[in-house]
Amino acid sequence: MLKSLLTSALLVLGTAAAAQNEYAAIAELKAMNRSVQGLRSMADGEHYTTLEQGNVLRYAYASDEAGVKLLPAAAEQLTITDYALSSDERSVLLATERTPIYRHSYTTRYYLATGGRVEPILREAFAPRDASFSPDGSRIVYSDRNDLYVYDIASGKTRRITTDGAWNEVINGTTDWVYEEEFGSTRAYAFSPDGTRLAYLRFDETQVPLMEMMRFDGRLYNEAYTFKYPKAGEPNSVVQLWVADLATGRRERIDTGSETDQYIPRIGFTPDGRLWFHRINRRQNVFEMILCEPHGAQRTIYEERAQQYVERVDDGTVTFVDKDRFLVRQESYSGYMHLYLYSIRRGRLAQVTGGEWEVTQVVGTDGKRVWYLSTETSPLRRNLYSVRLDGSDKRRLTEGEGYYTVVPSRGMKYFVTTFSNTRTPNRVEVCDAAGNAIRTLCDNRDLRIRLMVANRPAKEFFTFRTERGDELNAYIVKPRDFDPAQRYPVLLTQYSGPGSQQVVDRWTLDWEDALADLGYIVVCTDGRGTGFRGERFKKQTYGRLGALETEDQLSLARHMAAQPWVDASRIGIYGWSYGGFMALNCALKGHGLFKMAIAVAPVTSWRYYDTIYTEIYNNLPQYNAAGYDENSPINFAQMLDDRKTRLLIIHGTADDNVHFQNTVEMTRALNRFGKQYDMMVYPDQNHSMQPDATSHVRQKMIDYTLRNL
């Protein structure tokens, strides 16, 4: 008996060691998948710049000549994280040594490279961030400790634009936590085209409840980090729009309507200098674009209403063509995300695209045509098209069957395309306006050879029909020596959040691929509520987050269990964030269907999550309490069958996004019912398990799967 136990222990240890080696190999392969970093088009549309070799290099789109360094050698001693060229392209603003704040925000040190020299600037600033050149390149505007400043390059002098900024009270020119996280931006200011005026948002956070997040950081006494975080149903910041005259310092508040409980996610100026702003109601089912005329009048030049919600706006929702015409990307008219041409003076002019597919990104326009990425060939793929603004003469410009991302040149003369699919890592090419490849910038040949020699298993796509009749897209990764006569354990990996997509024809590798190397099958499906299959498919989960999505994951588990080459007694599920919420739901409602579940940084009650994300999909808790409580895993912790299902919950204590509170309350509920589970805590790590635990958490999940599945 002792010999048998010893042999089993050695086998487990040997497998774990192999797994560690396998994950190191996975991480190495991921790092080999190169692309082109910091790519920017230059003003002439014939050249572009990249960030490489510790310098900013200039290249010609159509020529294979070596890049020209734009920075002096002294700059190569800096750790450059971002850069921007002035309008005359004679100066370069460099951001170095970034210190993260939240997901997108960071403070940094700024340097200015000009005239063959590179020198530090903004030295008097304590924590500068979000700096940018004025349109004429003579000034730099930046934020420091919640106030805006303007730095005059010629004189080296700084003027303070706002004076009332204060931590956890007032923010000027940068966004609060929830705007940054959910609207995806940190810079909350915009220059007029002539550079004389600066529009900016002012956030009054005084009524937003305070969140305390404990920081340990190896101190003798731990310390609470406090920040304003509006949870579902709670007060948001009151946001105002102001315009400052950069020459005189005079400021003017712009009327944004009588309602203060609303969102202003984007501001800007038309090409002829008129101020505009986006306005969305708290329910997020009415979106307006407001234009401010020079004499003070305002008018709504675009309005969209939806029964459930209007999809969150971003920089590509509205694209100006000229001083009168603009393109809108929206789904409310046809049920699919498409492009429409509008006039400030005459309203809607044309539907530019249409069909049972979706425009995913507006790449650019030259005033006659628009270039865009879409799912026309498949919801799993992205291709580049162009079409006239009246909807005629549509052309497909990319031919690969997979996933393209595109960066255009000024004037739409050239494009830099990055292509991959499940079997092909990144291939970066320069193409002309018609889509013809001119030259290859990166083909990852070394990685392709490594993949070929290793015969790495790749995703295979399939569809399956649930018991309710819904057809869902899915992928499967099988071990490289797959034998249908054998029976394999299966791990379901998923995210499942509204409008998301995991089943996509794009090259990726992560910790689950190490499991495929170790004899596991990995499967993923995009259930109801996920994106790129039309508005109806996406919005059916509205008001009851977690209900339909859980049904679909359970259906996938039963579908896999019915396959003759699957060991139905060894099915597990994993997810992170929204996926962690789902992994818990499935573990508790699966009635022993899952032998193992791993939930990382899980939302356990939508009452604990932020206003913008939660309320757009679930309404406010004041009006939809059932939608918050009936699908919260906290409220059915007693359903965990811990004799059949091993549960691992993982969380970082410094998660400013999905607070550690979610895991605390989940474990409190499990403890109340005497349930057994496992837990891994990462001190002072954020939602992505950074800065220190990125690899460790993945190795932990591999080891846990090997022992429990």
Side-chain angles (χ1 to χ4, degrees), residues 12 14-20 514-515 518-520 570 596 699-709:
V12 169
T15 306
Q20 190 163 7
L515 293 179
L518 296 165
Y520 290 77
R570 299 174 66 193
M596 181 204 76
Q699 186 58 49
K700 173 65 180 179
M701 294 190 290
I702 292 171
D703 293 342
Y704 193 83
T705 303
L706 291 174
R707 292 189 177 98
N708 296 285
L709 190 60

PDB file of all heavy atoms in Angstrom, residues 12 14-20 514-515 518-520 570 596 699-709:
ATOM      1  N   VAL A  12       2.460  12.292  -9.642  1.00  0.00           N
ATOM      2  CA  VAL A  12       1.897  13.637  -9.557  1.00  0.00           C
ATOM      3  C   VAL A  12       2.997  14.685  -9.622  1.00  0.00           C
ATOM      4  O   VAL A  12       2.921  15.678 -10.347  1.00  0.00           O
ATOM      5  CB  VAL A  12       1.066  13.798  -8.261  1.00  0.00           C
ATOM      6  CG1 VAL A  12       0.709  15.272  -8.041  1.00  0.00           C
ATOM      7  CG2 VAL A  12      -0.203  12.970  -8.341  1.00  0.00           C
ATOM      8  N   GLY A  14       5.978  14.355 -10.895  1.00  0.00           N
ATOM      9  CA  GLY A  14       6.564  14.349 -12.236  1.00  0.00           C
ATOM     10  C   GLY A  14       5.700  15.088 -13.232  1.00  0.00           C
ATOM     11  O   GLY A  14       6.192  15.861 -14.055  1.00  0.00           O
ATOM     12  N   THR A  15       4.386  14.880 -13.140  1.00  0.00           N
ATOM     13  CA  THR A  15       3.463  15.578 -14.039  1.00  0.00           C
ATOM     14  C   THR A  15       3.488  17.077 -13.781  1.00  0.00           C
ATOM     15  O   THR A  15       3.463  17.893 -14.699  1.00  0.00           O
ATOM     16  CB  THR A  15       2.032  15.032 -13.866  1.00  0.00           C
ATOM     17  OG1 THR A  15       2.064  13.626 -14.045  1.00  0.00           O
ATOM     18  CG2 THR A  15       1.093  15.657 -14.866  1.00  0.00           C
ATOM     19  N   ALA A  16       3.559  17.464 -12.495  1.00  0.00           N
ATOM     20  CA  ALA A  16       3.606  18.884 -12.155  1.00  0.00           C
ATOM     21  C   ALA A  16       4.870  19.533 -12.702  1.00  0.00           C
ATOM     22  O   ALA A  16       4.846  20.654 -13.220  1.00  0.00           O
ATOM     23  CB  ALA A  16       3.528  19.066 -10.637  1.00  0.00           C
ATOM     24  N   ALA A  17       5.998  18.803 -12.593  1.00  0.00           N
ATOM     25  CA  ALA A  17       7.250  19.342 -13.142  1.00  0.00           C
ATOM     26  C   ALA A  17       7.149  19.513 -14.641  1.00  0.00           C
ATOM     27  O   ALA A  17       7.585  20.516 -15.208  1.00  0.00           O
ATOM     28  CB  ALA A  17       8.409  18.413 -12.783  1.00  0.00           C
ATOM     29  N   ALA A  18       6.540  18.502 -15.299  1.00  0.00           N
ATOM     30  CA  ALA A  18       6.344  18.605 -16.749  1.00  0.00           C
ATOM     31  C   ALA A  18       5.455  19.785 -17.082  1.00  0.00           C
ATOM     32  O   ALA A  18       5.693  20.515 -18.038  1.00  0.00           O
ATOM     33  CB  ALA A  18       5.749  17.306 -17.288  1.00  0.00           C
ATOM     34  N   ALA A  19       4.408  19.981 -16.259  1.00  0.00           N
ATOM     35  CA  ALA A  19       3.497  21.097 -16.507  1.00  0.00           C
ATOM     36  C   ALA A  19       4.225  22.424 -16.401  1.00  0.00           C
ATOM     37  O   ALA A  19       4.012  23.337 -17.192  1.00  0.00           O
ATOM     38  CB  ALA A  19       2.339  21.048 -15.501  1.00  0.00           C
ATOM     39  N   GLN A  20       5.121  22.537 -15.402  1.00  0.00           N
ATOM     40  CA  GLN A  20       5.851  23.786 -15.254  1.00  0.00           C
ATOM     41  C   GLN A  20       6.719  24.048 -16.481  1.00  0.00           C
ATOM     42  O   GLN A  20       6.800  25.167 -16.966  1.00  0.00           O
ATOM     43  CB  GLN A  20       6.699  23.729 -13.991  1.00  0.00           C
ATOM     44  CG  GLN A  20       7.316  25.071 -13.634  1.00  0.00           C
ATOM     45  CD  GLN A  20       7.804  25.126 -12.206  1.00  0.00           C
ATOM     46  OE1 GLN A  20       7.796  24.117 -11.508  1.00  0.00           O
ATOM     47  NE2 GLN A  20       8.231  26.279 -11.768  1.00  0.00           N
ATOM     48  N   ALA A 514      -1.321  24.558 -22.295  1.00  0.00           N
ATOM     49  CA  ALA A 514      -0.425  23.626 -21.601  1.00  0.00           C
ATOM     50  C   ALA A 514      -1.179  22.370 -21.194  1.00  0.00           C
ATOM     51  O   ALA A 514      -0.622  21.266 -21.198  1.00  0.00           O
ATOM     52  CB  ALA A 514       0.196  24.299 -20.382  1.00  0.00           C
ATOM     53  N   LEU A 515      -2.463  22.521 -20.847  1.00  0.00           N
ATOM     54  CA  LEU A 515      -3.265  21.343 -20.487  1.00  0.00           C
ATOM     55  C   LEU A 515      -3.463  20.430 -21.691  1.00  0.00           C
ATOM     56  O   LEU A 515      -3.460  19.198 -21.551  1.00  0.00           O
ATOM     57  CB  LEU A 515      -4.622  21.784 -19.935  1.00  0.00           C
ATOM     58  CG  LEU A 515      -4.606  22.519 -18.597  1.00  0.00           C
ATOM     59  CD1 LEU A 515      -6.023  22.912 -18.202  1.00  0.00           C
ATOM     60  CD2 LEU A 515      -3.952  21.678 -17.506  1.00  0.00           C
ATOM     61  N   LEU A 518      -0.835  18.141 -22.006  1.00  0.00           N
ATOM     62  CA  LEU A 518      -0.796  17.152 -20.930  1.00  0.00           C
ATOM     63  C   LEU A 518      -1.963  16.175 -20.988  1.00  0.00           C
ATOM     64  O   LEU A 518      -2.249  15.488 -20.008  1.00  0.00           O
ATOM     65  CB  LEU A 518      -0.780  17.876 -19.580  1.00  0.00           C
ATOM     66  CG  LEU A 518       0.470  18.737 -19.346  1.00  0.00           C
ATOM     67  CD1 LEU A 518       0.260  19.688 -18.188  1.00  0.00           C
ATOM     68  CD2 LEU A 518       1.678  17.851 -19.101  1.00  0.00           C
ATOM     69  N   GLY A 519      -2.660  16.138 -22.141  1.00  0.00           N
ATOM     70  CA  GLY A 519      -3.683  15.120 -22.325  1.00  0.00           C
ATOM     71  C   GLY A 519      -5.104  15.548 -22.037  1.00  0.00           C
ATOM     72  O   GLY A 519      -6.005  14.705 -21.960  1.00  0.00           O
ATOM     73  N   TYR A 520      -5.350  16.848 -21.910  1.00  0.00           N
ATOM     74  CA  TYR A 520      -6.699  17.362 -21.667  1.00  0.00           C
ATOM     75  C   TYR A 520      -7.277  17.938 -22.959  1.00  0.00           C
ATOM     76  O   TYR A 520      -6.549  18.421 -23.821  1.00  0.00           O
ATOM     77  CB  TYR A 520      -6.685  18.466 -20.610  1.00  0.00           C
ATOM     78  CG  TYR A 520      -6.391  17.979 -19.215  1.00  0.00           C
ATOM     79  CD1 TYR A 520      -5.094  17.658 -18.827  1.00  0.00           C
ATOM     80  CD2 TYR A 520      -7.407  17.843 -18.274  1.00  0.00           C
ATOM     81  CE1 TYR A 520      -4.808  17.217 -17.547  1.00  0.00           C
ATOM     82  CE2 TYR A 520      -7.135  17.401 -16.988  1.00  0.00           C
ATOM     83  CZ  TYR A 520      -5.836  17.088 -16.626  1.00  0.00           C
ATOM     84  OH  TYR A 520      -5.566  16.645 -15.358  1.00  0.00           O
ATOM     85  N   ARG A 570     -15.000  13.631 -15.649  1.00  0.00           N
ATOM     86  CA  ARG A 570     -13.851  14.541 -15.479  1.00  0.00           C
ATOM     87  C   ARG A 570     -14.027  15.775 -16.370  1.00  0.00           C
ATOM     88  O   ARG A 570     -13.273  16.002 -17.309  1.00  0.00           O
ATOM     89  CB  ARG A 570     -12.542  13.818 -15.803  1.00  0.00           C
ATOM     90  CG  ARG A 570     -12.263  12.632 -14.901  1.00  0.00           C
ATOM     91  CD  ARG A 570     -11.016  11.889 -15.377  1.00  0.00           C
ATOM     92  NE  ARG A 570      -9.803  12.708 -15.246  1.00  0.00           N
ATOM     93  CZ  ARG A 570      -8.640  12.393 -15.811  1.00  0.00           C
ATOM     94  NH1 ARG A 570      -8.545  11.319 -16.594  1.00  0.00           N
ATOM     95  NH2 ARG A 570      -7.579  13.167 -15.619  1.00  0.00           N
ATOM     96  N   MET A 596     -14.473  19.904 -11.240  1.00  0.00           N
ATOM     97  CA  MET A 596     -13.604  20.980 -10.768  1.00  0.00           C
ATOM     98  C   MET A 596     -14.060  22.303 -11.360  1.00  0.00           C
ATOM     99  O   MET A 596     -14.542  22.348 -12.495  1.00  0.00           O
ATOM    100  CB  MET A 596     -12.159  20.703 -11.191  1.00  0.00           C
ATOM    101  CG  MET A 596     -11.147  21.740 -10.746  1.00  0.00           C
ATOM    102  SD  MET A 596      -9.666  21.759 -11.814  1.00  0.00           S
ATOM    103  CE  MET A 596     -10.307  22.601 -13.260  1.00  0.00           C
ATOM    104  N   GLN A 699       0.379  28.964 -13.356  1.00  0.00           N
ATOM    105  CA  GLN A 699       0.959  27.694 -12.923  1.00  0.00           C
ATOM    106  C   GLN A 699       0.106  27.058 -11.827  1.00  0.00           C
ATOM    107  O   GLN A 699      -0.070  25.840 -11.792  1.00  0.00           O
ATOM    108  CB  GLN A 699       2.386  27.898 -12.424  1.00  0.00           C
ATOM    109  CG  GLN A 699       3.108  26.608 -12.088  1.00  0.00           C
ATOM    110  CD  GLN A 699       3.171  25.677 -13.289  1.00  0.00           C
ATOM    111  OE1 GLN A 699       3.552  26.087 -14.382  1.00  0.00           O
ATOM    112  NE2 GLN A 699       2.769  24.433 -13.096  1.00  0.00           N
ATOM    113  N   LYS A 700      -0.436  27.889 -10.961  1.00  0.00           N
ATOM    114  CA  LYS A 700      -1.316  27.381  -9.908  1.00  0.00           C
ATOM    115  C   LYS A 700      -2.524  26.682 -10.513  1.00  0.00           C
ATOM    116  O   LYS A 700      -2.926  25.593 -10.051  1.00  0.00           O
ATOM    117  CB  LYS A 700      -1.775  28.537  -9.016  1.00  0.00           C
ATOM    118  CG  LYS A 700      -2.836  28.154  -7.980  1.00  0.00           C
ATOM    119  CD  LYS A 700      -2.313  27.179  -6.957  1.00  0.00           C
ATOM    120  CE  LYS A 700      -3.381  26.810  -5.940  1.00  0.00           C
ATOM    121  NZ  LYS A 700      -2.872  25.834  -4.938  1.00  0.00           N
ATOM    122  N   MET A 701      -3.100  27.253 -11.551  1.00  0.00           N
ATOM    123  CA  MET A 701      -4.285  26.657 -12.165  1.00  0.00           C
ATOM    124  C   MET A 701      -3.944  25.358 -12.880  1.00  0.00           C
ATOM    125  O   MET A 701      -4.738  24.404 -12.874  1.00  0.00           O
ATOM    126  CB  MET A 701      -4.950  27.665 -13.104  1.00  0.00           C
ATOM    127  CG  MET A 701      -5.526  28.861 -12.371  1.00  0.00           C
ATOM    128  SD  MET A 701      -6.564  29.948 -13.384  1.00  0.00           S
ATOM    129  CE  MET A 701      -5.346  30.697 -14.453  1.00  0.00           C
ATOM    130  N   ILE A 702      -2.775  25.294 -13.510  1.00  0.00           N
ATOM    131  CA  ILE A 702      -2.353  24.046 -14.142  1.00  0.00           C
ATOM    132  C   ILE A 702      -2.204  22.958 -13.094  1.00  0.00           C
ATOM    133  O   ILE A 702      -2.722  21.843 -13.236  1.00  0.00           O
ATOM    134  CB  ILE A 702      -1.035  24.260 -14.914  1.00  0.00           C
ATOM    135  CG1 ILE A 702      -1.257  25.170 -16.120  1.00  0.00           C
ATOM    136  CG2 ILE A 702      -0.465  22.914 -15.373  1.00  0.00           C
ATOM    137  CD1 ILE A 702       0.018  25.608 -16.804  1.00  0.00           C
ATOM    138  N   ASP A 703      -1.493  23.267 -12.011  1.00  0.00           N
ATOM    139  CA  ASP A 703      -1.271  22.276 -10.955  1.00  0.00           C
ATOM    140  C   ASP A 703      -2.592  21.810 -10.349  1.00  0.00           C
ATOM    141  O   ASP A 703      -2.797  20.619 -10.093  1.00  0.00           O
ATOM    142  CB  ASP A 703      -0.382  22.867  -9.859  1.00  0.00           C
ATOM    143  CG  ASP A 703       1.035  23.139 -10.340  1.00  0.00           C
ATOM    144  OD1 ASP A 703       1.425  22.563 -11.378  1.00  0.00           O
ATOM    145  OD2 ASP A 703       1.737  23.927  -9.678  1.00  0.00           O
ATOM    146  N   TYR A 704      -3.502  22.748 -10.116  1.00  0.00           N
ATOM    147  CA  TYR A 704      -4.788  22.404  -9.502  1.00  0.00           C
ATOM    148  C   TYR A 704      -5.602  21.504 -10.429  1.00  0.00           C
ATOM    149  O   TYR A 704      -6.246  20.548  -9.976  1.00  0.00           O
ATOM    150  CB  TYR A 704      -5.564  23.678  -9.190  1.00  0.00           C
ATOM    151  CG  TYR A 704      -6.746  23.452  -8.278  1.00  0.00           C
ATOM    152  CD1 TYR A 704      -6.573  23.394  -6.907  1.00  0.00           C
ATOM    153  CD2 TYR A 704      -8.035  23.306  -8.795  1.00  0.00           C
ATOM    154  CE1 TYR A 704      -7.655  23.190  -6.053  1.00  0.00           C
ATOM    155  CE2 TYR A 704      -9.111  23.104  -7.964  1.00  0.00           C
ATOM    156  CZ  TYR A 704      -8.925  23.040  -6.589  1.00  0.00           C
ATOM    157  OH  TYR A 704      -9.994  22.824  -5.754  1.00  0.00           O
ATOM    158  N   THR A 705      -5.554  21.812 -11.714  1.00  0.00           N
ATOM    159  CA  THR A 705      -6.280  20.979 -12.686  1.00  0.00           C
ATOM    160  C   THR A 705      -5.710  19.565 -12.716  1.00  0.00           C
ATOM    161  O   THR A 705      -6.458  18.577 -12.732  1.00  0.00           O
ATOM    162  CB  THR A 705      -6.214  21.609 -14.087  1.00  0.00           C
ATOM    163  OG1 THR A 705      -6.744  22.941 -14.032  1.00  0.00           O
ATOM    164  CG2 THR A 705      -7.007  20.799 -15.091  1.00  0.00           C
ATOM    165  N   LEU A 706      -4.398  19.446 -12.714  1.00  0.00           N
ATOM    166  CA  LEU A 706      -3.772  18.121 -12.751  1.00  0.00           C
ATOM    167  C   LEU A 706      -4.149  17.289 -11.530  1.00  0.00           C
ATOM    168  O   LEU A 706      -4.327  16.067 -11.630  1.00  0.00           O
ATOM    169  CB  LEU A 706      -2.252  18.266 -12.830  1.00  0.00           C
ATOM    170  CG  LEU A 706      -1.692  18.834 -14.142  1.00  0.00           C
ATOM    171  CD1 LEU A 706      -0.189  19.054 -14.020  1.00  0.00           C
ATOM    172  CD2 LEU A 706      -2.008  17.924 -15.306  1.00  0.00           C
ATOM    173  N   ARG A 707      -4.301  17.926 -10.392  1.00  0.00           N
ATOM    174  CA  ARG A 707      -4.595  17.189  -9.163  1.00  0.00           C
ATOM    175  C   ARG A 707      -6.083  16.871  -9.001  1.00  0.00           C
ATOM    176  O   ARG A 707      -6.440  15.927  -8.297  1.00  0.00           O
ATOM    177  CB  ARG A 707      -4.119  17.980  -7.951  1.00  0.00           C
ATOM    178  CG  ARG A 707      -2.602  18.094  -7.852  1.00  0.00           C
ATOM    179  CD  ARG A 707      -2.178  18.700  -6.523  1.00  0.00           C
ATOM    180  NE  ARG A 707      -0.739  18.735  -6.403  1.00  0.00           N
ATOM    181  CZ  ARG A 707       0.031  19.794  -6.656  1.00  0.00           C
ATOM    182  NH1 ARG A 707      -0.543  20.925  -7.057  1.00  0.00           N
ATOM    183  NH2 ARG A 707       1.334  19.737  -6.519  1.00  0.00           N
ATOM    184  N   ASN A 708      -6.935  17.698  -9.640  1.00  0.00           N
ATOM    185  CA  ASN A 708      -8.367  17.579  -9.338  1.00  0.00           C
ATOM    186  C   ASN A 708      -9.246  17.283 -10.543  1.00  0.00           C
ATOM    187  O   ASN A 708     -10.448  17.110 -10.404  1.00  0.00           O
ATOM    188  CB  ASN A 708      -8.855  18.866  -8.668  1.00  0.00           C
ATOM    189  CG  ASN A 708      -8.191  19.090  -7.334  1.00  0.00           C
ATOM    190  OD1 ASN A 708      -8.527  18.424  -6.357  1.00  0.00           O
ATOM    191  ND2 ASN A 708      -7.234  20.015  -7.289  1.00  0.00           N
ATOM    192  N   LEU A 709      -8.652  17.182 -11.718  1.00  0.00           N
ATOM    193  CA  LEU A 709      -9.443  16.856 -12.908  1.00  0.00           C
ATOM    194  C   LEU A 709      -8.742  15.726 -13.664  1.00  0.00           C
ATOM    195  O   LEU A 709      -8.851  15.535 -14.782  1.00  0.00           O
ATOM    196  CB  LEU A 709      -9.618  18.105 -13.786  1.00  0.00           C
ATOM    197  CG  LEU A 709     -10.612  18.016 -14.940  1.00  0.00           C
ATOM    198  CD1 LEU A 709     -12.017  17.711 -14.462  1.00  0.00           C
ATOM    199  CD2 LEU A 709     -10.586  19.296 -15.780  1.00  0.00           C
TER     200      LEU A 709
END
